[in-house]
Amino acid sequence: MSKTWFEWHDLYETDARLQQRLAIVREYISTSLTHSPPGVIQLVSACAGDGRDVLGALPSHPRAKDVQARLVELNPQLVERGRITLESTPPFNQQIELVNGDATSSNAYIGAVPADVVLVCGIFGNLADEVALRQLIGNLKFLAKSGAFVLWTRGHTQGVAYSEVVRQQFREANFEEVDFRLTATGDMGVGLHRFWGETAPLPENYTLFVFSGTPEKAR
Ligand SMILES: C[S@@+](CC[C@H](N)C(=O)[O-])C[C@H]1O[C@@H](n2cnc3c(N)ncnc32)[C@H](O)[C@@H]1O
């Protein structure tokens, strides 16, 4: 039976690995905010779902007032749910934009980058292959400031530790690994890297990555 990405999010109610992944992502958001330079902290999240990672991490953080965030998500129901959560958590509704748009296009980030914190969670498992992964990691220079934190997730399937491939590619692209953790279930990697390269100006109408996964196959 086909399901939508909105329905996929129901897994957060029951799936231990997704719940553990969310807890680690929130912790890494918190770490990134703590170690960001003084002043405004610009955050972007690609393929953001309903934004529960950012919306869950922010309220308790002492630097929350400094955050300006743009969360980009294609599924309108998820955006709607995120906006409802946002409306009930002032003052964050002034600081966080939940945009219903195509996160694969550079246009989605105009005016919101370069960012101090970049979330690419739930994306790497939805790319075609390692070439597509390398391309996306290479394109992070359009979104990230030098020194920016990049948060990512990658599930394992049938015993294949795909997160090791991701870590290797970040190493090859000269990112610094700040932390990496597997969920207690042992089959989901969550990483926190730091970009120390040079930021590149954001091109217009440029495809940063191709999201080819489907919610039936995703876990
Ligand atoms: C695996 S989910 C991850 C959601 C969220 N980042 C999380 O970790 O809970 C992938 C998300 O990507 C969204 N998505 C797929 N293609 C997209 C696109 N072109 N632009 C923006 N979002 C997209 C889906 O609707 C879905 O919500």
Side-chain angles (χ1 to χ4, degrees):
M1 197 179 72
S2 74
K3 71 175 175 183
T4 64
W5 283 113
F6 184 77
E7 290 161 342
W8 176 87
H9 279 70
D10 291 344
L11 288 172
Y12 274 113
E13 309 306 320
T14 53
D15 187 329
R17 88 165 180 166
L18 215 47
Q19 292 166 350
Q20 291 162 12
R21 162 196 191 276
L22 177 63
I24 300 171
V25 170
R26 285 178 174 166
E27 187 187 321
Y28 283 175
I29 292 171
S30 191
T31 302
S32 306
L33 301 185
T34 300
H35 295 284
S36 285
V40 172
I41 303 172
Q42 185 71 51
L43 178 153
V44 290
S45 175
C47 300
D50 57 13
R52 66 182 67 202
D53 39 20
V54 175
L55 298 176
L58 232 55
S60 59
H61 199 281
R63 294 212 51 202
K65 62 179 183 335
D66 295 332
V67 174
Q68 287 293 333
R70 181 176 299 170
L71 281 46
V72 186
E73 167 57 44
L74 198 58
N75 181 295
Q77 283 178 288
L78 287 166
V79 173
E80 181 58 22
R81 188 159 70 192
R83 284 180 183 159
I84 289 169
T85 309
L86 199 51
E87 286 312 312
S88 63
T89 50
F92 300 115
N93 49 355
Q94 303 300 314
Q95 300 169 231
I96 303 177
E97 283 179 277
L98 243 158
V99 173
N100 188 197
D102 180 5
T104 69
S105 167
S106 60
N107 293 355
Y109 306 93
I110 292 172
V113 294
D116 301 280
V117 184
V118 178
L119 271 69
V120 281
C121 298
I123 296 179
F124 291 169
N126 290 295
L127 303 175
D129 52 27
E130 291 183 24
V131 175
L133 176 63
R134 185 167 292 112
Q135 187 184 19
L136 170 46
I137 291 175
N139 283 335
L140 290 171
K141 64 178 178 290
F142 297 120
L143 305 183
K145 283 181 191 170
S146 188
F149 292 90
V150 176
L151 284 72
W152 58 271
T153 63
R154 181 62 167 107
H156 299 177
T157 39
Q158 295 172 338
V160 181
Y162 289 108
S163 61
E164 289 305 317
V165 175
V166 177
R167 295 174 81 189
Q168 175 65 27
Q169 288 210 9
F170 271 115
R171 264 194 299 277
E172 287 168 11
N174 293 321
F175 281 73
E176 174 198 357
E177 184 170 283
V178 178
D179 202 20
F180 170 79
R181 218 174 297 162
L182 284 177
T183 54
T185 57
D187 56 354
M188 173 66 74
V190 187
L192 179 63
H193 276 75
R194 216 152 179 200
F195 173 68
W196 288 112
E198 205 174 311
T199 304
L202 187 71
E204 277 188 42
N205 301 316
Y206 176 77
T207 301
L208 296 163
F209 59 98
V210 176
F211 188 104
S212 52
T214 59
E216 296 85 19
K217 293 205 180 133
R219 270 217 56 221

